[in-house]
Amino acid sequence: MTAAPGPRVRVHRALRDADPQHWDTLLGPRGFYAATPWLRHAEATAATAPYYLTAHEGDGPATGVLPAYPLDHDTPYVFCSPARVVDSIHRTATGEEAPWTAGLLPALACGGRNPSHTKAGTAPGPDAGHATLTALVQRAEEEAWAAGLRAVSFLYVDEDDDPLRAVLAERGYTALPGQTAYSLPVPEDGCFATYLARFEPSRRTKIKRELRALSEAGVTYRTQPLTPALIEQLAPLELALYTKYGTPANADAFTAVLHSVARHAGDAARVTTAHLDGHLTGFALTFTHQGEMYARQAGFDYEAQGKLPLYFGLVYYELLRTAMTEGLSHIHYSTGSDRAKLLRGCTPRRQIAYVKARHPQEAEPLARLAALHPAVPA
């Protein structure tokens, strides 16, 4: 008896050729950074054309989708670079740099160009999903090796993404401990009191005190589209954030990214701004997609806000009010700032970094690092 042929994978180098109208229907929760609004922006700002892999049963529409990005040594998207991510994991495990990780570039970064929720999309069905994911991952590897790339990576795979994790393990990817991403569940009853009820009395009192301080100071909020005129007002606020935390910043590059987001993902993008005495004091850029909100970036006028808890008021409480009003299910806050997110009710989700090196000089130290610092502690 002859086994049924597996899914056939098509490779596209432009999103418009990959049936974008159907693409998003295959992505589940936390899938925005593999979805078409973000893909349009990522394609417009890519140094090398991305890959869009679509799996098909016969001549029908896609049953699986996977975006992938060739990244070189000089990529500005360092958090999507396996060299940078693996080096960081190595430093955590040993306290030492890992010069050998430079050999992981150039690489193919799969599942979305963003340090949050690496995703592939598949049609519903427990059996078809495994075959589809296997076909997509295998074809990504074939394309990478044919292009002379040295590694394939899936760097932010959610710990509960069992189908993708199973396929990556079967195909010999090294699993390393990744980041922790945070999501805020939105109360289904749309009531802020329900949110407050999640906390112990002392934390509830703290949040109420922050809200009262913001109200008494006269802080107001506004949610609006991301427009060219607004971008020019936002740039100094985000640069102030970079300066506060000692992060190098390029004002021209920042504004160029926002203009690209407005042009290519403007249907999903919005800006919530905070105002004090009529002065723009802070902003949060968010995306709304398939009933979920994604907090992307923020900035503040630290001199104007003084000691006011403007960050918490804007990025958590006001975004939550918006999400409740619109009936959204979650606000996704990506990685980092662990304590602040936990104290505002976010749910942590561990992520795993998967890397497959083409050559032994990188594959062998990857395996040693995984043995020393396993993705799932024993």
Side-chain angles (χ1 to χ4, degrees):
M1 183 174 180
T2 303
R8 182 168 52 90
V9 176
R10 301 172 188 169
V11 180
H12 317 273
R13 300 304 299 273
L15 181 60
R16 64 176 178 273
D17 298 328
D19 192 7
Q21 290 76 22
H22 179 65
W23 181 289
D24 289 356
T25 66
L26 301 176
L27 294 167
R30 295 167 253 143
F32 173 72
Y33 293 108
T36 55
W38 183 255
L39 296 183
R40 292 194 299 265
H41 158 68
E43 180 176 295
T45 54
T48 304
Y51 292 81
Y52 304 99
L53 309 182
T54 58
H56 301 261
E57 298 284 354
D59 295 325
T63 57
V65 294
L66 176 69
Y69 298 86
L71 301 180
D72 214 328
H73 292 272
D74 59 352
T75 178
Y77 310 107
V78 292
F79 295 104
C80 299
S81 163
R84 191 269 184 197
V85 170
V86 174
D87 179 71
S88 178
I89 295 169
H90 189 277
R91 288 172 188 250
T92 298
T94 68
E96 300 176 354
E97 297 180 1
W100 57 268
T101 63
L104 296 171
L105 290 172
L108 190 65
C110 297
R113 199 189 67 195
N114 180 268
S116 176
H117 307 301
T118 294
K119 291 291 181 180
T122 60
D127 298 326
H130 184 83
T132 298
L133 287 171
T134 299
L136 289 169
V137 174
Q138 179 177 337
R139 187 57 182 272
E141 296 165 14
E142 293 170 354
E143 293 295 322
W145 307 154
L149 307 184
R150 298 179 64 91
V152 179
S153 64
F154 295 73
L155 294 178
Y156 300 91
V157 178
D158 293 336
E159 64 178 336
D160 58 356
D161 192 346
D162 294 331
L164 181 56
R165 289 184 59 190
V167 168
L168 295 175
E170 289 171 4
R171 294 204 56 79
Y173 283 72
T174 299
L176 297 169
Q179 298 288 324
T180 299
Y182 293 87
S183 300
L184 181 63
V186 179
E188 294 182 7
D189 63 3
C191 183
F192 198 85
T194 303
Y195 165 71
L196 289 176
R198 297 174 182 172
F199 301 95
E200 295 182 354
S202 59
R203 173 51 48 184
R204 223 164 29 237
T205 299
K206 171 70 171 174
I207 294 173
K208 289 179 179 179
R209 189 182 303 124
E210 290 172 342
L211 290 167
R212 186 166 56 252
L214 293 164
S215 177
E216 291 175 352
V219 175
T220 59
Y221 304 97
R222 185 184 313 154
T223 297
Q224 55 201 298
L226 179 63
T227 63
L230 182 58
I231 288 171
E232 301 307 315
Q233 300 177 58
L234 303 183
L237 300 181
E238 180 148 4
L239 293 175
L241 183 146
Y242 292 154
T243 299
K244 179 178 180 179
Y245 293 102
T247 304
N250 182 314
D252 292 338
F254 167 66
T255 55
V257 167
L258 285 185
H259 281 292
S260 175
V261 168
R263 187 163 51 252
H264 300 288
D267 53 345
R270 291 183 296 180
V271 179
T272 300
T273 52
H275 304 262
L276 184 60
D277 296 328
H279 175 71
L280 177 60
T281 315
F283 82 91
L285 172 65
T286 65
F287 299 97
T288 302
H289 185 73
Q290 293 187 346
E292 299 179 305
M293 181 185 291
Y294 298 78
R296 169 65 183 168
Q297 57 205 76
F300 299 89
D301 183 335
Y302 293 100
E303 182 177 352
Q305 77 174 49
K307 295 184 178 180
L308 283 173
L310 193 65
Y311 170 78
F312 303 122
L314 172 60
V315 175
Y316 294 98
Y317 312 141
E318 183 60 23
L319 292 187
L320 180 60
R321 289 191 183 98
T322 300
M324 289 190 300
T325 299
E326 298 180 356
L328 306 180
S329 66
H330 290 82
I331 304 174
H332 299 297
Y333 285 101
S334 190
T335 60
S337 302
D338 304 68
R339 186 171 184 274
K341 291 170 180 174
L342 288 171
L343 289 177
R344 269 73 197 175
C346 290
T347 300
R349 179 172 284 104
R350 190 169 56 93
Q351 298 182 318
I352 300 171
Y354 288 91
V355 183
K356 188 172 191 175
R358 186 178 186 184
H359 301 296
Q361 57 264 42
E362 288 81 41
E364 292 170 1
L366 268 175
R368 291 195 294 270
L369 177 58
L372 176 67
H373 199 38
V376 181

